């Protein structure tokens, strides 16, 4: 029998000492009856075992739930009857350990099995019972079936887990704030979303506000105040520091939950991590005003600030200067060394410009290789000129990029305010025109705007627009100038020279439009057309029985840098059936010198396919003989400037003679250009010149005239050429 004393159960009722009821009120039998009523009618399972945990008694509720009758269980251990495959053995060991030490088991949960093998969750309370001497005599276990509560609890936990996971995925945390202490209850994902340790989550509202970036704190405090006052929601954005001290942008949206039953009204807030959205917004705002590559101001910022600075200058009666800088031959670097090298060059140039001026001067990159500097408060043009010269010097210092040393220079045009324009666009246009003038004057120079330039740049612009239409309008043609062998005056071939005829301007000289085509990026298409047309004409000569003639084509520096040049040339030769050695490509020596390594590479590729190379305008550049030796060339064309004056100038005579000897010493042929009279021809022939070309021998002529000359020169009887298919 079971009694209770001082919170500890003891074995056997001790008559008068029974606390539950006194003998005066109840007889022992009445008391026993009441105990039985309790034990037999409770919905909890009651098990009484001896000290060795052998069952002495189970109540009807036990039999009802487990299916085991009293008779079947007496003398057996509960574990033999109730435990099954999923029972947590570690939990069982723990319970046994406590019981062995005489410690009560409170609210332990175990998965038990009924007699028919049905699992159920049991919540256990087991009390050891001692006799008057303190010896353990029994255990009284009260079990209840908590399967349903447990399922409900697990469902709740799973739903909380899902909510936490959803919040974590949405980069969202939330808290509830209640009570006068304004304690905060955070959702599980909060620490992760805010990037802090669990322990660092603020415990109350004051700590939360204290953790917000000082600049944003007032906004949040204000939102809380307004919400308490007006009782409607709020939304604020602020920065919090994460565990590494980095700022994390958070958007907090909160509202008041009204009091409900025992729950007082409380603040509920959702926090979103919006750092990436903010970063994207910042980047967009940055890109709207800055050039991403160099970090300098972009065109939009330049235009806005130039306007402001012009206004200020007008009010102060001060001068302002716009320096327009364009890098020289930047396109060549980009085309030949790749865009990544080009980008590095632009970055270095941007830095050099930035360090070359005062911190409040504006430096911007307009596009490509164009930069603009705005200098304010300048005393006079002299100051601008000396600063501009320093800037050009800084730009042209050698730079090392990807292990190579590169040399870049710039052309600089200056427009002054107010003299050269009183609107942003006019001042910029005029500085731009001055820059073009600087380019025309040989690059790496500085030029101030003058009104005549306006007309010049307008004409240039007009010409460029027309040049774009020249190919589709079929305004180009090739003229052919004959070349003769000096020893016997036999025709060896022709140089193809490009001609452009427009309805309005008439003939435009190649010296004018070729540089324009190069800068406008049209030279590749035009050069391709020239190659195709030259090969087509050679084909006509061959079809008239003269396949031994050579056709020479001038190449621009830009074409030489084109990695596809070799395949283009090969395609033209193939289309018109030209053996590659019938084609000669002319390069001016300065072109071949500009980037010798790349030049040699491209020239060698074509040479290996049989194409011949000639160095044009020899003597006007800086070719060293040692360098000439490294080029895969067959011919040198001596510039006509040396031939012009042979009769009168002994120096020129000496130069011509030396050039011929040098060519021969290097195993090359020498072609003399610009032979205009018989005396020049005689002198050159006497010195051993190999080939001659000039007005005296034949002017550049249209294709049909060249064909007629071919037939006549080789067949003096002058039989008319057969009709072409
Ligand atoms: P270049 O390659 O040195 O061509 C020779 C130039 O000298 C031609 O001028 C020719 O008409 C001129 N010339 C020939 N014999 C005499 C003479 O006895 N006396 C004088 N005073 N001049 C003579 P043009 O046709 O005006 O060409 C000028 C330059 O334009 C060429 O110089 C060449 O560098 C360039 N060019 C011409 N056609 C093309 C082309 O298809 N592509 C490229 N990239 N450049 C070309
Ligand atoms: Mg030439
Ligand atoms: Mg020439």
């Amino acid at each position: 029998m079971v009694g209770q004393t001082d919170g500890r159960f003891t074995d056997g009722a001790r008559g008068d000492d029974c606390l539950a009821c006194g003998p005066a009120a109840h007889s022992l039998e009445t008391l026993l009856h009441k105990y039985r009523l309790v034990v037999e009618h409770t919905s909890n399972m009651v098990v009484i075992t001896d000290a060795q945990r052998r069952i002495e008694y189970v109540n009807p509720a036990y039999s009802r739930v487990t299916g085991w009758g009293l008779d079947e269980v007496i003398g057996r251990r509960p574990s033999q009857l109730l435990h099954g495959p999923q029972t947590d053995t570690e939990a069982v060991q723990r319970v046994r350990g406590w019981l062995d030490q005489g410690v009560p088991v409170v609210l332990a949960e175990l998965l038990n099995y009924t007699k028919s093998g049905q699992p159920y969750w049991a919540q256990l309370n087991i009390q050891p019972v001692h006799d008057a001497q303190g010896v353990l005599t029994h255990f009284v276990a009260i079990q209840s079936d908590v399967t349903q509560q447990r399922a409900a609890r697990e469902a709740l936990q799973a739903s909380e887990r899902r909510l936490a996971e959803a919040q974590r995925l949405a980069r969202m945390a939330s808290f509830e704030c209640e009570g006068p202490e304004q304690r905060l209850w955070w959702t599980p994902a909060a620490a992760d979303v805010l990037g802090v340790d669990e322990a660092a989550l603020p415990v109350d509202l004051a700590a939360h506000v204290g953790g917000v970036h000082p600049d944003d704190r007032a906004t949040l405090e204000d939102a809380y105040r307004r919400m308490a006052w007006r009782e409607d929601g709020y939304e604020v954005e602020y920065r919090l520091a994460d565990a590494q001290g980095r700022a994390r942008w958070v958007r907090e949206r909160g509202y008041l939950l009204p009091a409900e039953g025992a729950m007082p009204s409380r603040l509920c807030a959702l926090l979103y991590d919006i750092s990436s959205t903010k970063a994207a917004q910042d980047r967009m705002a940055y890109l709207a005003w800055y050039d991403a590559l160099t970090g300098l101001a972009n065109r939009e910022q330049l235009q806005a600030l130039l306007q402001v600075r012009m206004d200020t200058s007008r009010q102060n009666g001060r001068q302002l200067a716009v320096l327009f800088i364009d890098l020289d031959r930047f396109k060549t670097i980009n085309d030949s060394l790749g865009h990544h090298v080009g980008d590095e060059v632009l970055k270095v140039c941007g830095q050099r410009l930035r360090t070359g001026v005062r911190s409040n001067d504006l430096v911007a990159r307009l596009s490509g290789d164009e930069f603009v500097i705005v200098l304010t408060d300048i005393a006079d043009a002299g100051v601008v000129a000396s600063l501009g010269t320093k800037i050009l010097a800084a730009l042209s210092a050698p730079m090392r990029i990807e292990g190579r040393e590169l040399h870049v220079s710039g052309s600089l045009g200056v427009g002054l305010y107010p003299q050269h324009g009183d609107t942003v666009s006019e001042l910029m246009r005029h500085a731009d025109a001055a820059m073009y003038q600087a380019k025309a004057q040989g690059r790496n120079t500085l030029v101030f705007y003058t009104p005549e330039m306006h007309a010049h740049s307008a004409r240039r612009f007009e010409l460029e627009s027309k040049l774009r239409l020249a190919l589709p309008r079929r305004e180009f043609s090739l003229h052919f100038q004959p070349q003769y062998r000096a020893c016997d005056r036999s025709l060896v071939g022709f140089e193809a020279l490009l001609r452009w005829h427009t309805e309005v301007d008439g003939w435009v000289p190649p010296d004018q439009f070729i540089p324009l085509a190069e800068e406008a990026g049209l030279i590749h298409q035009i050069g391709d057309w020239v190659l195709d047309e030259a090969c087509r004409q050679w084909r006509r000569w061959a079809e008239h029985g003269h396949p031994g003639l050579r056709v020479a084509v001038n190449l621009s520096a830009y074409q030489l840098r084109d990695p596809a040049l070799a395949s283009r040339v090969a395609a033209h030769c193939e289309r018109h059936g030209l053996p590659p050695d019938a084609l000669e490509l002319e390069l001016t020596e300065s072109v071949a010198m500009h980037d010798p390594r790349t030049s040699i590479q491209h020239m060698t590729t074509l040479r290996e396919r049989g194409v011949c190379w000639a160095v044009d305008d020899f003597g006007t550049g800086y070719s060293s003989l040692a360098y000439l030796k490294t080029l895969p060339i067959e011919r040198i064309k001596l510039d006509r400037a040396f031939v012009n004056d042979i009769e009168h100038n002994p120096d020129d005579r000496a130069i011509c003679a030396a050039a011929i000897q040098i060519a021969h010493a290097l195993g090359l042929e020498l072609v003399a250009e610009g032979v205009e009279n018989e005396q020049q021809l005689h002198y050159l022939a006497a010195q051993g010149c190999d080939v001659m070309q000039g007005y005296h021998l034949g002017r550049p002529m249209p294709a049909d005239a060249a064909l007629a000359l071919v037939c006549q020169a080789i067949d003096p009887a002058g039989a008319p050429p057969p009709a072409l298919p």
Side-chain angles (χ1 to χ4, degrees):
M1 285 295 100
V2 187
Q4 191 179 33
T5 312
D6 297 339
R8 287 187 71 185
F9 287 90
T10 53
D11 187 10
R14 278 183 287 153
D16 296 350
D17 294 344
C18 177
L19 292 176
C21 43
H26 306 285
S27 68
L28 187 59
E29 219 159 302
T30 318
L31 194 62
L32 277 173
H33 178 66
K34 285 189 176 158
Y35 281 160
R36 174 165 291 133
L37 281 180
V38 171
V39 172
E40 288 182 357
H41 293 279
T42 177
S43 59
N44 290 325
M45 294 170 264
V46 177
V47 181
I48 299 173
T49 70
D50 63 15
Q52 281 71 47
R53 296 198 279 274
R54 278 187 300 261
I55 297 175
E56 287 184 355
Y57 172 78
V58 295
N59 72 345
Y62 180 92
S63 301
R64 216 171 33 247
V65 174
T66 66
W68 292 104
L70 179 61
D71 298 344
E72 296 172 288
V73 298
I74 286 191
R76 300 176 71 174
R77 292 176 193 274
S79 57
Q80 293 173 329
L81 303 169
L82 303 179
H83 294 175
Q86 304 279 327
T87 307
D88 179 351
T89 48
E90 278 179 29
V92 171
Q93 287 306 328
R94 260 197 315 277
V95 168
R96 278 193 189 140
W98 290 324
L99 296 181
D100 288 347
Q101 290 166 36
V103 176
V105 173
V106 182
L107 296 179
E109 283 186 9
L110 274 184
L111 185 70
N112 281 347
Y113 289 80
T114 64
K115 189 179 173 187
S116 62
Q118 195 66 34
Y120 69 94
W121 278 98
Q123 189 183 69
L124 290 179
N125 286 286
I126 307 176
Q127 286 291 339
V129 181
H130 300 85
D131 64 12
Q133 284 71 45
V135 176
L136 178 77
T137 60
H138 293 89
F139 291 103
V140 176
I142 306 210
Q143 284 187 31
S144 44
D145 178 354
V146 290
T147 308
Q148 277 173 12
Q149 289 97 309
R150 214 175 142 109
R153 201 169 67 219
E154 279 172 358
L156 184 67
Q157 281 168 352
S159 126
E160 278 174 356
R161 261 199 314 277
R162 279 197 295 274
L163 178 67
E165 182 61 13
Q167 286 203 352
R168 200 178 59 74
L169 287 175
R171 310 291 304 143
M172 195 172 95
S174 65
F175 68 71
E176 282 189 19
C177 167
E178 60 175 51
E181 312 88 55
Q182 301 189 311
R183 273 190 69 82
L184 302 188
W185 303 100
W186 291 92
T187 45
D192 185 31
V193 171
L194 302 181
V196 294
D197 295 334
E198 202 83 43
L201 283 173
V203 290
D204 56 29
L205 206 60
H208 173 49
V209 174
V212 168
H213 191 286
D215 293 350
D216 308 336
R217 215 170 279 160
T219 330
L220 185 62
E221 285 171 330
D222 195 40
Y224 288 154
R225 248 194 314 274
R226 273 185 299 137
M227 186 196 56
W229 174 54
R230 285 166 42 202
E231 298 207 341
D232 59 2
Y234 65 90
E235 185 171 307
V236 280
E237 289 176 3
Y238 53 78
R239 282 158 292 176
L240 283 178
D242 68 9
Q244 281 77 41
R246 288 178 308 226
R248 194 168 277 221
W249 271 101
V250 171
R251 177 181 300 138
E252 183 177 315
R253 193 179 284 165
Y255 50 93
L256 270 185
L257 269 181
E260 202 180 41
M263 290 285 255
S265 89
R266 57 206 189 279
L267 162 66
C268 214
L270 291 170
L271 285 75
Y272 308 83
D273 176 0
I274 54 163
S275 304
S276 49
T277 320
K278 276 277 177 194
Q281 281 170 357
D282 288 353
R283 181 83 185 139
M284 273 154 68
Y286 178 83
L287 289 179
W289 283 98
Y290 289 92
D291 168 43
L293 181 67
T294 59
L296 297 175
N298 64 6
R299 182 187 292 272
E300 283 68 30
Q301 189 182 164
L302 170 74
Q303 284 176 337
L305 291 189
L306 180 54
Q307 184 65 60
V308 173
R309 293 187 183 195
M310 281 166 71
D311 293 345
T312 316
S313 297
R314 184 179 310 122
Q315 283 155 17
N316 302 343
R318 307 281 300 189
Q319 282 198 108
L320 170 154
V322 171
L323 279 61
F324 205 113
I325 300 155
D326 188 282
L327 302 184
D328 300 329
R329 300 194 183 88
F330 174 72
K331 201 172 172 312
T332 314
I333 292 181
N334 232 1
D335 292 349
S336 56
L337 303 179
H339 288 267
H340 58 292
V341 174
D343 283 354
E344 289 307 309
V345 168
L346 290 174
K347 280 193 216 165
V348 173
C349 290
Q351 281 157 12
R352 288 180 179 179
L353 296 180
R354 185 67 267 174
T355 49
V357 297
R358 294 170 301 185
S359 59
N360 60 339
D361 291 327
L362 181 62
V363 183
R365 176 170 168 244
L366 282 197
S367 62
D369 58 345
E370 290 177 337
F371 296 87
V372 167
I373 297 178
V374 178
L375 306 173
T376 34
D377 280 343
I378 49 166
D380 54 46
V383 177
V384 180
S386 71
L387 188 76
T389 313
K390 269 192 215 148
I391 288 174
L392 287 182
L395 268 187
S396 58
M399 54 178 83
R400 275 204 91 71
I401 287 168
E402 290 193 348
R404 349 166 155 238
E405 188 170 286
L406 294 178
H407 295 261
V408 175
S409 63
S411 298
L412 199 164
V414 184
L416 296 174
Y417 175 83
Q419 302 90 308
H420 298 153
D422 56 3
T423 65
V424 166
S425 66
E426 195 179 22
L427 196 54
M428 293 275 286
R429 219 175 37 248
H430 290 169
D432 186 27
M435 184 277 291
Y436 267 107
Q437 193 59 39
K439 281 226 189 285
Q441 288 184 13
R443 302 163 198 262
N444 199 16
T445 49
L446 173 148
V447 169
F448 279 82
Y449 172 74
T450 60
E452 303 81 67
M453 285 175 194
H454 181 61
H456 174 80
S457 64
R459 155 137 179 93
R460 225 187 98 87
F461 181 73
E462 196 190 323
L463 206 62
E464 190 183 307
S465 324
K466 286 182 183 167
L467 193 57
R468 288 185 188 281
L469 298 172
L471 266 180
R473 286 184 178 166
R474 299 170 179 272
E475 291 175 344
F476 287 127
S477 61
L478 282 190
H479 280 197
F480 294 86
Q481 187 174 28
Q483 296 179 332
Y484 294 92
R485 194 153 291 287
C487 55
D488 57 5
R489 293 209 192 180
S490 58
L491 182 67
V492 292
F494 291 85
E495 176 176 5
L497 293 159
L498 184 58
R499 296 291 176 260
W500 180 26
H501 188 265
T502 75
E503 236 171 67
V504 182
D505 303 278
W507 294 102
V508 185
D511 293 335
Q512 256 185 43
F513 70 81
I514 298 263
L516 206 60
E518 287 175 341
E519 285 188 8
L522 298 167
I523 193 67
H524 296 287
Q525 297 167 37
I526 297 177
D528 230 32
W529 181 87
V530 171
L531 273 166
D532 186 58
E533 180 61 14
C535 294
R536 209 165 67 80
Q537 291 304 327
W538 177 92
R539 170 75 188 230
R540 289 177 78 197
W541 310 333
E543 283 171 353
H544 283 74
H546 309 297
L549 292 173
R550 197 167 54 218
V551 63
V553 171
N554 293 281
L555 273 199
S556 142
Y558 290 83
Q559 289 172 274
L560 183 65
R561 307 282 181 275
D562 179 4
L565 177 70
S567 53
R568 282 168 193 255
V569 170
H572 291 302
C573 289
E574 204 172 310
R575 184 171 327 121
H576 299 288
L578 222 76
D581 63 354
L583 179 67
E584 179 164 274
L585 297 175
E586 294 188 11
L587 275 182
T588 61
E589 55 172 319
S590 53
V591 166
M593 283 286 286
H594 179 66
D595 180 5
R597 236 181 19 183
T598 321
S599 303
I600 293 175
Q601 246 174 35
H602 288 173
M603 289 170 78
T604 308
T605 313
L606 275 162
R607 180 71 203 115
E608 280 162 1
R609 296 188 179 184
V611 172
C612 308
W613 287 97
V615 168
D616 203 357
D617 303 345
F618 180 72
T620 55
Y622 325 87
S623 313
S624 74
L625 291 175
Y627 168 64
L628 266 187
K629 246 177 73 175
T630 63
L631 296 178
I633 53 175
E634 274 66 52
R635 267 167 220 98
I636 293 177
K637 294 186 77 179
L638 182 63
D639 195 73
R640 64 172 183 271
F642 303 103
V643 178
N644 260 344
D645 230 10
I646 286 180
E647 312 95 280
H648 313 114
N649 189 333
D651 286 347
D652 283 358
R653 277 201 295 278
I655 289 173
C656 284
I660 293 166
Q661 281 168 23
I662 289 166
H664 290 170
L666 293 175
L668 307 172
E669 277 192 356
L670 189 117
V671 183
E673 294 184 306
V675 180
E676 292 187 347
N677 56 49
E678 195 65 23
Q679 282 158 290
Q680 292 167 355
L681 189 147
H682 272 295
Y683 179 77
L684 289 163
Q687 296 305 313
C689 170
D690 302 283
V691 176
M692 292 192 228
Q693 175 182 351
Y695 291 170
H696 180 62
L697 295 155
R699 290 191 173 245
M701 59 192 81
D704 286 347
L707 180 63
L709 179 71
V710 167
C711 299
Q712 187 191 12
I714 305 203
D715 176 10
L724 284 170

